[in-house]
Amino acid sequence: MPVEIVSDFAEFRNLAPEWEDLLKKSYFNDFANSHAWLCTWWEAFGVDSELRVILVREENKLIAAAPLRLSKSKFRGLPVRELAFMSNSHVPQIDFMVDKSQIKCGLQALLEAISELAGWEVFRLENIQTSSPLWPV
């Protein structure tokens, strides 16, 4: 499955129609994953981060997405490059977006893309629901 990494905010803004289509089909259909919320969050809190939105397509159709950011952080007192959701204390829950009919292959493609993504040492998964298919990972 083709995977694309979006690191330019203008490019991310242009994804609105297909992002919202996927959100409607996703196992986690919440305002925190809406395109409008993520754009607003990025404009307010993304200043010290780099955008790393991962998109997975099947036959040119968006079937999975991970709204992620890369930033400098501390892990056990050591400086690290941290990959994390586009979230903070203002976001009660967030998750990957995966078409309910493509959960297994969509999650697998996202996780493989994350493992191959350069530039991070720590991957922080916070504020995901215990019912998420991502939880056992």
Side-chain angles (χ1 to χ4, degrees), residues 96-114:
F96 293 156
M97 291 192 327
V98 181
D99 186 315
K100 287 182 264 189
S101 69
Q102 302 280 345
I103 288 178
K104 186 176 179 179
C105 61
L107 275 178
Q108 183 177 349
L110 286 173
L111 293 172
E112 285 174 8
I114 289 166

Side-chain angles (χ1 to χ4, degrees), residues 18 24 48 52 58 62 69 80 83 90 99 101 104-105 110 115 124 129 134:
E18 64 181 333
K24 290 174 192 169
D48 292 327
R52 293 293 185 274
E58 184 177 68
L62 187 62
R69 62 184 168 84
V80 295
L83 189 64
H90 300 284
D99 186 315
S101 69
K104 186 176 179 179
C105 61
L110 286 173
S115 71
R124 184 178 304 227
Q129 302 176 53
L134 186 58

Side-chain angles (χ1 to χ4, degrees), residues 42 44-51 69-73 81:
W42 185 258
F45 303 107
V47 67
D48 292 327
S49 298
E50 299 171 25
L51 199 61
R69 62 184 168 84
L70 186 62
S71 60
K72 293 179 181 176
S73 185
R81 298 275 293 161

Side-chain angles (χ1 to χ4, degrees), residues 1-58:
M1 284 186 196
V3 173
E4 178 184 344
I5 310 297
V6 175
S7 56
D8 178 70
F9 185 59
E11 187 178 345
F12 178 66
R13 288 184 75 79
N14 290 334
L15 293 170
E18 64 181 333
W19 190 274
E20 291 303 311
D21 266 358
L22 175 60
L23 182 61
K24 290 174 192 169
K25 299 173 190 168
S26 177
Y27 65 82
F28 184 70
N29 182 347
D30 187 81
F31 79 93
N33 269 10
S34 72
H35 192 266
W37 174 266
L38 291 168
C39 285
T40 302
W41 186 94
W42 185 258
E43 290 170 338
F45 303 107
V47 67
D48 292 327
S49 298
E50 299 171 25
L51 199 61
R52 293 293 185 274
V53 176
I54 301 173
L55 308 174
V56 178
R57 298 182 187 281
E58 184 177 68

